[in-house]
Amino acid sequence: MKKYIMSGFFFTACILAIVLMFTLPGQGEENKVVKPSMPEVVLDASAAEILVKASCISCHGDQLQGGVGPNLQAIGSTMSPEEIYTLVSKGKGIMPGFKDTLAEEEIANVAQWLAQKK
Ligand code: HEC
């Protein structure tokens, strides 16, 4: 008898977990995808340069002069840090999004660094 009560509890807990999974974090996730908000970071130019060398120059060129991807040498005159952050997080066209491979703070740092290139 006790066994049935226990499995009843277990079943209820599972249902509850599934319901929570689809309600609480689900909505948060959706908001994030629509408009990722850039975390505040203090610009660390050398960290940004290292990251760009590792992740971006294969497409944007070692001097950011362009290649597979467009020239980024004056990207700061056309895009704000927030716009760059959103684009790098989500990706665009054949450019991959980096939100799964880089920390939000790393992307924000690179976005600020690029936005200074005018
Ligand atoms: C696989 C190649 C590839 C990699 C790696 C890549 N990009 Fe891109 N990037 C592109 C392409 C292609 C575009 C143009 C996308 C479009 O407009 O359709 C682009 C566009 C951009 C733009 C917008 C430029 C503009 O003038 O509109 C920015 C900013 C940018 N990339 C930054 C980065 C940063 C920062 C990294 C590294 C974290 C990076 N990219 C890595 C290929 C890449």
Side-chain angles (χ1 to χ4, degrees):
M1 191 57 200
K2 213 172 168 190
K3 211 164 111 191
Y4 291 115
I5 297 174
M6 286 309 284
S7 57
F9 273 132
F10 183 68
F11 188 67
T12 315
C14 284
I15 299 285
L16 198 69
I18 291 167
V19 168
L20 284 179
M21 214 163 75
F22 280 102
T23 50
L24 300 176
Q27 284 170 354
E29 204 75 29
E30 224 169 277
N31 287 340
K32 223 178 184 177
V33 172
V34 173
K35 191 181 184 300
S37 55
M38 191 171 82
E40 302 246 340
V41 293
V42 178
L43 178 63
D44 179 343
S46 56
E49 244 170 285
I50 291 168
L51 197 151
V52 166
K53 283 207 172 85
S55 307
C56 318
I57 63 172
S58 52
C59 293
H60 290 282
D62 59 354
Q63 302 301 316
L64 300 178
Q65 76 277 19
V68 178
N71 182 320
L72 299 178
Q73 282 166 339
I75 191 67
S77 52
T78 52
M79 289 179 83
S80 71
E82 288 78 15
E83 285 168 337
I84 298 174
Y85 175 82
T86 305
L87 188 149
V88 174
S89 300
K90 290 204 260 184
K92 186 178 179 194
I94 62 166
M95 177 173 156
F98 285 86
K99 65 178 184 316
D100 296 329
T101 43
L102 299 175
E104 290 177 2
E105 289 75 16
E106 288 177 313
I107 300 176
N109 190 42
V110 167
Q112 289 201 24
W113 182 74
L114 282 174
Q116 289 188 340
K117 304 207 163 293
K118 293 179 185 177

